[in-house]
Amino acid sequence: MELNQLLGRIVDEVAPLRGSGVVADYIPALARVDPAHFGIAIADLEGRVRGVGDWQMPFSVQSISKVFTLALVLAGSDEALWRRVGREPSGNAFNSLIQLEHERGIPRNPFINAGALTVTDELISQVGDASGELLAFLRTESGNPDLRVDAEVAASEAAHADRNLALTHFMASYGNMRNPVATVLDQYVRQCSIEMSCRDLALAGRFLAAHGVRRDGSELLTRRQAKRVNAIMLTCGTYDAAGDFAYRVGIPGKSGVGGGILAIVPGRCAIAVWSPGLDARGNSVAGVAALDHFTTLTGWSIF
Ligand code: DON
């Protein structure tokens, strides 16, 4: 099936789901977004990008940023991070505190909030301005110099960060924090509040489909590292729904409570979908359905 035809078919298939689910309301600035939006974009290895629906409309990337900070940290120090964070699916909510005490301040994986806070802490130690480094990377890969942190979302999240502050202090109490809690939180909130469209995200995530090679041909990650980031996306990228996501979609994916999902077909393409209505576990209802149709219609599942 030709790509435009495929994208049109996906839009038709998910139309009845648009507006179902609930928008994240624990960050008040996100609660105002219309849940009926839907966009999808596909970037191929050559950096060509196609999309339909609201594919050029910016939204809050939230936890999708965690894929990029992980890649930047691994590019800088490879194995050092794994002394501070695990690589197993959590089976718990993304902001759960429970496991952290049992596992003595070592988060299960880099994509639950506790693990992502550790990654941000590590990136601060490497480069100082972690969110600035991330933004520069995303601007270059997407070819969009206008990408920015949405200050209103950042302020809103910072004002409602008790849970993330608790997680960070808790890890600090176990000696698993290198920088001051306030600094880590500030950088984490900024990275989550970056606004991008499906177009921008698909292009920015393209390097994971290209085995770690950036648009300019330079290597961010080795082939082995890219394989590993994709594996962690598959097993941990959609939190306590990772098993169901693998079952339905069958490729690595990382969701955010803004309603976006970045998914990777290794060796082929990166796909970004966005629809703000979320299911009970924080994943976009229409977004997961669109990816399910995409891998079924193309046969591009890894299984
Ligand atoms: O830390 C938080 O709660 C948000 N900034 C990000 C959460 C998120 O996107 C989880 N994803 N599904």
Side-chain angles (χ1 to χ4, degrees):
M1 193 183 301
E2 203 261 322
L3 191 56
N4 282 342
Q5 205 187 343
L6 172 77
L7 292 175
R9 170 102 180 256
I10 290 171
V11 171
D12 293 344
E13 295 273 10
V14 303
L17 293 175
R18 288 170 71 156
S20 47
V22 286
V23 294
D25 57 3
Y26 75 104
I27 302 171
L30 295 182
R32 292 197 292 275
V33 181
D34 178 357
H37 285 300
F38 175 81
I40 179 167
I42 299 175
D44 67 16
L45 296 189
E46 285 69 44
R48 288 182 296 249
V49 63
R50 306 265 275 282
V52 285
D54 300 320
W55 70 294
Q56 302 189 78
M57 192 176 283
F59 60 90
S60 194
V61 298
Q62 293 297 318
S63 288
I64 302 173
S65 63
K66 297 170 183 176
V67 176
F68 297 102
T69 49
L70 176 64
L72 291 173
V73 161
L74 295 179
S77 70
D78 198 19
E79 295 294 308
L81 177 73
W82 303 122
R83 290 194 283 275
R84 307 183 54 193
V85 58
R87 301 187 290 259
E88 291 296 340
S90 70
N92 279 320
F94 63 84
N95 55 4
S96 172
L97 274 154
I98 296 171
Q99 244 161 13
L100 208 48
E101 180 160 22
H102 284 303
E103 297 176 359
R104 308 193 61 77
I106 305 292
R108 264 290 167 103
N109 68 64
F111 291 156
I112 52 172
N113 283 11
L117 287 157
T118 313
V119 173
T120 298
D121 180 45
E122 191 76 22
L123 192 57
I124 295 168
S125 296
Q126 281 183 20
V127 302
D129 179 10
S131 59
E133 183 84 1
L134 171 63
L135 204 48
F137 175 79
L138 296 174
R139 283 177 177 154
T140 306
E141 291 306 290
S142 66
N144 182 356
D146 298 328
L147 294 186
R148 60 182 191 96
V149 171
D150 182 323
E152 193 199 346
V153 172
S156 182
E157 180 166 347
H160 297 84
D162 292 330
R163 179 75 69 112
N164 284 332
L165 277 165
L167 289 166
T168 315
H169 277 295
F170 202 65
M171 290 187 287
S173 79
Y174 281 103
N176 194 14
M177 227 7 88
R178 309 278 180 263
N179 295 283
V181 167
T183 308
V184 175
L185 236 293
D186 177 58
Q187 288 286 346
Y188 172 81
V189 162
R190 290 178 63 75
Q191 82 179 50
C192 290
S193 304
I194 291 172
E195 281 203 317
M196 295 173 80
S197 64
C198 291
R199 176 210 165 272
D200 300 327
L201 259 180
L203 284 171
R206 192 211 57 93
F207 76 97
L208 286 170
H211 308 298
V213 177
R214 297 180 63 166
R215 267 177 110 186
D216 66 1
S218 64
E219 184 179 81
L220 179 74
L221 299 179
T222 63
R223 208 177 169 94
R224 171 191 263 177
Q225 287 173 321
K227 176 185 74 177
R228 291 177 167 177
V229 172
N230 284 332
I232 298 168
M233 283 175 81
L234 181 74
T235 52
C236 311
T238 43
Y239 313 109
D240 43 338
D244 198 51
F245 186 84
Y247 172 79
R248 289 181 66 191
V249 179
I251 52 175
K254 180 76 205 80
S255 61
V257 291
I261 306 174
L262 172 65
I264 305 296
V265 184
R268 249 189 222 279
C269 63
I271 310 139
V273 289
W274 173 54
S275 191
L278 307 178
D279 62 23
R281 292 181 288 192
N283 300 310
S284 169
V285 174
V288 174
L291 291 169
D292 180 352
H293 288 299
F294 176 86
T295 53
T296 302
L297 291 168
T298 55
W300 291 353
S301 154
I302 62 171
F303 298 105

